Amino acid sequence: MTIYFDNSATTPVDPRVVAAMAPWQTDNFANPSSLHGPGRRAREAVETARAQVAALIGARPREIVFTGSGTEADNLALAGAIDAAGPGPHHLATSAFEHPAVLETVRALQARGVATSFIPVDGDGLVDPEEVRRALTPRTRVVSVMAANNVVGAVQPVDAIGRVAHEGGALFHTDAVQAVGKVPFDVAAQPIDLLSLSAHKLHGPKGVGALYVRTGVKLLPIVHGGGQERGLRSATENVAGIVGLGRAAELAAAEMAADTARLVGLRDRLIESVFAACPQAYLIGHARRRLPGHVCLGFAGQEGEAIRLLLALDEAGVAASTGSACSASHGAAPSYVLQAMGFDPFQARGALRLTLGRFNTEAEVERVAEILPGLVGALRPIACARGRSQR
Ligand code: PLP
């Protein structure tokens, strides 16, 4: 059996979510826009899910727009807000280490003439709200800073950043794809106008996400058609997927506190055991402001070997990641996330990301803690004599 420590890439679908989704693929496959009984019941299921997602983040159901992914939610938030702002010139500020779903959308907007700023990130993977303030201009329409980074797990001070954005007259969007279900949100009380989330990061299905849009915030759609989702996301709704997201949100709301306490314990046990056995290991990302199950490690002097370490772990039955699933195809190219945090290009090739979720056990942590030092040592034994780096 594989030990799955790659929950930041995607999570196993909770069997309770699978059970909730099943009838909407078989017994009732109706289109929720149909007026007949099965259609009305499908509509009710979509609206129940909307209320469940809203409850998880403290929103009103009307403020939730279902999308086809977290990526699409990010695209809708940024392009939709800029388009709704009317003729330019406009400016948008984002952090230097966002997920490509935000960075590439920003680049596409840049190509359309939107001025952009990339806010620096510190060595712990945190964005300083004062840096956000420095990036603001009178034409800043949107500030977008992720709630938690997918590579290093650092949890951002979104409330302080949102307040700064509002003081500058800008909307605040947060890509909370990695954070929702792990970090509590109460958007009604927080200075957040737009928030993206994705079902497959919280034990729901792939290919469904949502965007929270605060009441009164104007967006234009990026997908045009039949006018579903209040005109913001045309397309026949993915009823089973949406039901799955709703149930996953409901479970996260009920179990977040217990899951968090357990995962923080497992995470810290894993970090301590690796540190005890590997003096060259260092933690990447802030030690305390980090996602509950997120471990990101570097091994001083062996950073160029991250892919080999990953393959050795894979052979030993442990699924992990070098940083981000999205950059796996580029091999050991330096990570732009680590470079944004000030790592040199050599160090930036070497993160090992072990991310735990609801279904990981203490026995699995013990097993990985037991085999990892041997695998690290086998890579380049001489490096084990080097002291722990500052990072
Ligand atoms: N934003 C962040 C921070 C992510 O980690 C991911 C997925 O890895 C996404 C956006 C994209 O979400 P999706 O896979 O649902 O498109």
Side-chain angles (χ1 to χ4, degrees):
M1 269 292 277
T2 300
I3 296 180
Y4 185 78
F5 276 8
D6 200 14
N7 284 270
S8 285
T10 194
T11 52
V13 184
D14 191 301
R16 295 168 290 182
V17 170
V18 176
M21 292 172 69
W24 302 101
Q25 321 240 37
T26 50
D27 306 349
N28 189 348
F29 49 82
N31 187 322
S33 296
S34 295
L35 293 179
H36 45 63
R40 291 198 307 274
R41 284 191 286 283
R43 167 62 53 205
E44 264 170 41
V46 167
E47 296 315 317
T48 299
R50 201 184 303 283
Q52 289 166 322
V53 172
L56 175 61
I57 60 168
R60 297 181 219 169
R62 271 183 61 79
E63 297 174 317
I64 301 298
V65 176
F66 289 118
T67 64
S69 59
T71 300
E72 192 190 317
D74 286 338
N75 275 258
L76 174 59
L78 301 181
I82 292 290
D83 289 347
H90 299 308
H91 172 256
L92 188 154
T94 190
S95 87
F97 76 163
E98 295 292 313
H99 187 275
V102 165
L103 283 183
E104 294 305 318
T105 305
V106 169
R107 290 198 183 109
L109 290 169
Q110 215 171 11
R112 285 173 36 194
V114 176
T116 53
S117 300
F118 295 92
I119 304 158
V121 180
D122 74 14
D124 284 330
L126 294 178
V127 173
D128 178 351
E130 286 314 307
E131 292 287 354
V132 176
R133 196 184 303 283
R134 271 190 276 281
L136 294 174
T137 77
R139 302 192 194 289
T140 309
R141 307 289 171 239
V142 188
V143 170
S144 179
V145 175
M146 65 202 321
N149 181 269
N150 47 307
V151 177
V152 300
V155 176
Q156 305 302 322
V158 284
D159 287 0
I161 294 171
R163 276 194 295 276
V164 168
H166 287 175
E167 282 162 25
L171 293 174
F172 178 50
H173 166 250
T174 188
D175 173 346
V177 165
Q178 290 290 343
V180 166
K182 299 167 201 155
V183 174
F185 284 93
D186 182 10
V187 288
Q190 291 179 283
I192 296 174
D193 303 298
L194 299 158
L195 176 149
S196 308
L197 61 95
S198 177
H200 75 103
K201 308 288 188 181
L202 57 144
H203 301 287
K206 294 168 190 63
V208 56
L211 180 67
Y212 156 73
V213 184
R214 178 181 290 282
T215 302
V217 169
K218 298 268 174 296
L219 290 187
L220 288 185
I222 55 171
V223 177
H224 305 275
Q228 289 90 342
E229 295 297 298
R230 293 192 293 116
L232 282 174
R233 206 280 185 165
S234 289
T236 301
E237 296 87 339
N238 170 6
V239 179
I242 289 170
V243 167
L245 170 55
R247 180 71 175 125
E250 184 182 48
L251 291 169
E255 297 174 9
M256 188 173 355
D259 279 352
T260 298
R262 201 178 67 86
L263 286 171
V264 165
L266 293 180
R267 175 196 76 188
D268 292 346
R269 173 114 40 99
L270 183 57
I271 294 171
E272 280 155 26
S273 341
V274 174
F275 276 8
C278 283
Q280 78 276 34
Y282 57 93
L283 186 67
I284 302 174
H286 198 278
R288 288 179 313 284
R289 291 195 61 94
R290 67 189 301 122
L291 291 171
H294 201 115
V295 178
C296 188
L297 295 167
F299 296 94
Q302 292 167 296
E303 286 91 345
E305 313 277 294
I307 296 275
R308 277 182 52 203
L309 181 56
L310 191 76
L311 295 177
L313 276 168
D314 187 36
E315 217 159 281
V318 181
S321 148
T322 53
S324 166
C326 302
S327 63
S329 57
H330 303 310
S335 152
Y336 70 90
V337 169
L338 298 188
Q339 286 185 286
M341 288 167 60
F343 286 69
D344 67 39
F346 178 78
Q347 288 179 315
R349 293 166 67 183
L352 174 68
R353 187 180 72 170
L354 300 161
T355 47
L356 284 58
R358 183 179 293 157
F359 299 109
N360 290 119
T361 64
E362 208 175 310
E364 289 177 324
V365 167
E366 301 302 340
R367 171 85 187 125
V368 173
E370 194 181 291
I371 61 172
L372 186 59
L375 298 177
V376 173
L379 289 179
R380 215 192 289 174
I382 195 165
C384 284
R386 292 166 69 159
R388 184 168 296 164
S389 117
Q390 293 309 301
R391 285 212 174 277

